[in-house]
Amino acid sequence: MIGSRLPEQYVADAALLSAVADPIRLQLVAQLAVRPSCVCNLVTDPEIPGNLLSYHLKKLRDAGLIEGTRRGRWIDYALTDGALDRLAAALPAPIDALPLTSAR
């Protein structure tokens, strides 16, 4: 086995990283990392229609990276506690930091 992660950890890490592997979703995470925002203030480049924005927000919610709080007819979004830490932990370590054993 490479490194100290179990195979199921790689599956979970890949699922988490795939949630931000889309440019639109990565932009949304970057905006919410600065501050929580009303859905009406979230901006993407290129601009996308509301139904597509909702789709991307759902993907991030399903991954456990963001949460929404209803305020009247609006929803305020914020990163979940530890979301950025979980993303960072999902990234592989530099190859020279992995405890590799020689097969020779």
Side-chain angles (χ1 to χ4, degrees), residues 15-64:
L16 189 63
L17 292 171
S18 71
V20 294
D22 181 273
I24 296 295
R25 292 194 290 269
L26 191 55
Q27 288 178 54
L28 294 170
V29 168
Q31 287 179 57
L32 295 173
V34 175
R35 68 181 163 280
S37 179
C38 173
V39 69
C40 60
N41 293 327
L42 293 172
V43 179
T44 61
D45 184 20
E47 190 174 326
I48 59 174
N51 63 331
L52 191 53
L53 178 61
S54 292
Y55 167 79
H56 288 293
L57 291 168
K58 181 182 181 330
K59 286 291 203 181
L60 294 171
R61 272 194 321 271
D62 290 348

